[in-house]
Amino acid sequence: QDRSPVGAMMAARIRRLETQLQEVDTALADSPPPPPLGREVSGADVIVTIGTSALVEQVADVVRRIEEVVNQAYTYRRVSRADVRDRLAMGDAGLRANRVLHLAWRGDELLGACSSTYQPPWTPEGCGHWGLLSVIPEAQSTGVASALVRAAELRLAAACEMIQIEYEYTPGDEYSGRLLQWYEGKCGFECPSGPPRNDRRYTQFRKCFKRVGPELSAA
């Protein structure tokens, strides 16, 4: 057992998170399971679900497919198949799961993935997090990413007051410019350090936050 001040602080945060999750359990105990979150994309339904270990038996080769979707989006080996299996198993805890993996589907086709976590060790207390956002190239700019983010943020709103994301920004880079406009524009996140510096010599790590608004907490 870690008896250091940091260990004691993390233990206290875990206890408070468990209390929050118990409150979520109580609120939803008598309600039927919610339907999968989806939206119309390019004329076909895109459904966002939470992955569990049962998916490995239900969907052929799903671990490899998730691995490929994520690693292709990141352009390097961001996850291994063992990592994918671990992330799917986290969803087995249902409402009490701290971290889950959201998956976007059109029929049997896997379009993208995104993780959400109630309380990571690197965010302030009460601040959830989503990340690992990945969409296959042919489905990009069709609303799949927005559907994944919406599903993640609706889940986090049940137990969090704020949400944190991070990304890298390079001035003058077209892709970085699109990320800036999407994260700090459409998605509504704000970076405490203010606007990015216009210095093309450096890639900037931007850590951004937004409060859980009524449109999420009331959903």
Side-chain angles (χ1 to χ4, degrees), residues 3-211:
R3 298 184 180 276
S4 68
V6 174
M9 180 183 68
M10 288 304 303
R13 290 178 66 175
I14 291 171
R15 287 194 297 270
R16 285 191 287 271
L17 176 60
E18 289 176 344
T19 299
Q20 288 178 312
L21 294 178
Q22 288 172 359
E23 292 173 354
V24 173
D25 284 346
T26 301
L28 299 180
D30 299 325
S31 301
L37 297 167
R39 59 175 293 165
E40 192 76 10
V41 180
S42 301
D45 286 332
V46 171
I47 303 300
V48 178
T49 62
I50 290 178
T52 66
S53 57
L55 202 63
V56 178
E57 302 297 329
Q58 297 168 351
V59 180
D61 215 13
V62 70
V63 172
R64 178 192 60 79
R65 291 162 66 184
I66 295 171
E67 177 194 34
E68 289 185 353
V69 166
V70 174
N71 291 343
Q72 185 178 28
Y74 275 81
T75 70
Y76 66 90
R77 194 166 187 254
R78 177 63 177 80
V79 297
S80 66
R81 296 188 187 185
D83 186 25
V84 171
R85 289 180 180 274
D86 287 344
R87 289 174 179 269
L88 291 175
M90 291 177 188
D92 294 348
L95 296 174
R96 296 189 56 77
N98 184 36
R99 173 182 290 178
V100 301
L101 186 65
H102 303 270
L103 301 170
W105 305 86
R106 181 187 290 122
D108 293 333
E109 182 183 14
L110 178 64
L111 304 178
C114 176
S115 70
S116 70
T117 310
Y118 284 134
Q119 185 64 78
W122 63 85
T123 66
E125 185 175 333
C127 182
H129 179 275
W130 60 255
L132 204 72
L133 183 61
S134 309
V135 178
I136 61 175
E138 54 268 37
Q140 292 177 7
S141 301
T142 64
V144 175
S146 295
L148 284 163
V149 169
R150 175 70 175 171
E153 292 190 349
L154 284 173
R155 175 179 179 267
L156 295 177
C160 304
E161 298 176 356
M162 297 187 68
I163 300 173
Q164 174 180 318
I165 59 100
E166 311 89 19
Y167 71 103
E168 291 185 343
Y169 174 78
T170 303
D173 178 73
E174 181 181 354
Y175 179 68
S176 288
R178 293 201 303 270
L179 289 181
L180 175 67
Q181 292 175 5
W182 198 66
Y183 286 129
E184 300 186 47
K186 182 177 180 179
C187 292
F189 284 88
E190 295 183 359
C191 186
S193 62
R197 301 186 308 275
N198 190 24
D199 188 338
R200 300 193 178 196
R201 296 175 299 172
Y202 302 105
T203 294
Q204 304 164 33
F205 180 77
R206 295 185 65 75
K207 183 164 64 174
C208 305
F209 302 86
K210 77 173 178 182
R211 291 198 170 275

